[in-house]
């Protein structure tokens, strides 16, 4: 019986933009899946690239933001490492290795938040998984048969 899945999944070779010469980047698939986004760090600066998923040529990367200065990294004279990017491309999580500082930048406003008091194992964070949730949270109403008082 054919389930529609191809196993093993086909591999796709994705060419990076010409200016991305290090592995200090993260790719986000985007919330609607219409494009890939790549956030690249070079020294104290970030650049953001988009690639439409409808593109036939993997060289169609479009530079949408260039030379976004990370003020905290500039003031500490440290290069930033890109740790994670959310699907909506609103936040990027950055790591300053020498000072063991995790920070995030809200990309639309360029505001930065620094987290100084974090427990770090061997100077590295193991995993960062950004996610969005509704606030305030909405819980389903209890039914009479679900009552805790009996």
């Amino acid at each position: 019986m054919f389930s529609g899945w191809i196993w093993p999944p086909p591999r796709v070779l994705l060419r990076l933009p010409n200016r991305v010469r290090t592995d200090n980047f993260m790719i986000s698939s985007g919330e609607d899946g219409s494009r890939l986004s790549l956030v690249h760090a070079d020294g104290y600066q970030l650049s953001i690239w988009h690639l439409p998923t409808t593109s036939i040529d993997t060289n169609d990367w479009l530079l949408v933001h260039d030379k976004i200065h990370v003020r905290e990294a500039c003031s500490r004279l440290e290069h930033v490492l890109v740790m994670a990017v959310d699907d909506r491309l609103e936040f990027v999580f950055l790591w300053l290795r020498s000072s063991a500082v995790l920070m995030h930048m809200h990309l639309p406003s360029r505001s930065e938040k620094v987290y100084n008091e974090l427990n770090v194992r061997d100077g590295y964070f193991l995993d960062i998984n950004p996610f969005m949730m509704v606030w305030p949270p909405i819980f389903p109403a209890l039914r009479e048969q679900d009552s805790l008082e009996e």
Side-chain angles (χ1 to χ4, degrees):
M1 181 164 103
F2 180 68
S3 66
W5 291 94
I6 299 172
W7 194 257
R11 295 176 189 231
V12 176
L13 179 63
L14 184 65
R15 291 192 178 117
L16 298 175
N18 289 335
R19 288 185 31 202
V20 178
R21 294 189 176 97
T22 66
D23 61 352
N24 191 5
F25 65 87
M26 282 287 171
I27 294 180
S28 172
S29 62
E31 198 170 275
D32 60 356
S34 66
R35 69 177 179 214
L36 293 176
S37 298
L38 183 142
V39 177
H40 174 250
D42 186 19
Y44 316 128
Q45 300 176 346
L46 301 176
S47 57
I48 301 174
W49 304 77
H50 290 312
L51 177 68
T53 55
T54 57
S55 176
I56 296 172
D57 188 2
T58 59
N59 287 327
D60 287 344
W61 287 100
L62 174 66
L63 180 63
V64 291
H65 297 288
D66 194 19
K67 298 182 181 176
I68 300 171
H69 293 277
V70 181
R71 292 184 307 272
E72 186 69 24
C74 289
S75 67
R76 293 176 185 255
L77 299 174
E78 290 188 52
H79 292 197
V80 296
L81 296 172
V82 179
M83 298 298 291
V85 180
D86 72 322
D87 287 340
R88 295 173 56 187
L89 203 62
E90 285 188 31
F91 293 97
V92 60
F93 289 86
L94 305 168
W95 176 248
L96 304 179
R97 182 177 289 156
S98 296
S99 57
V101 168
L102 175 71
M103 59 181 293
H104 81 262
M105 176 185 278
H106 182 248
L107 291 172
S109 68
R110 305 292 196 265
S111 63
E112 300 174 12
K113 169 85 171 136
V114 178
Y115 303 96
N116 285 321
E117 299 176 13
L118 296 172
N119 293 329
V120 180
R121 184 187 302 168
D122 299 328
Y124 295 97
F125 283 91
L126 298 178
D127 200 10
I128 297 175
N129 296 304
F131 69 95
M132 301 294 286
M133 62 181 271
V134 293
W135 192 259
I138 301 169
F139 300 103
L142 289 175
R143 299 176 298 189
E144 285 184 33
Q145 64 265 28
D146 294 336
S147 177
L148 297 175
E149 297 176 14
E150 291 193 30

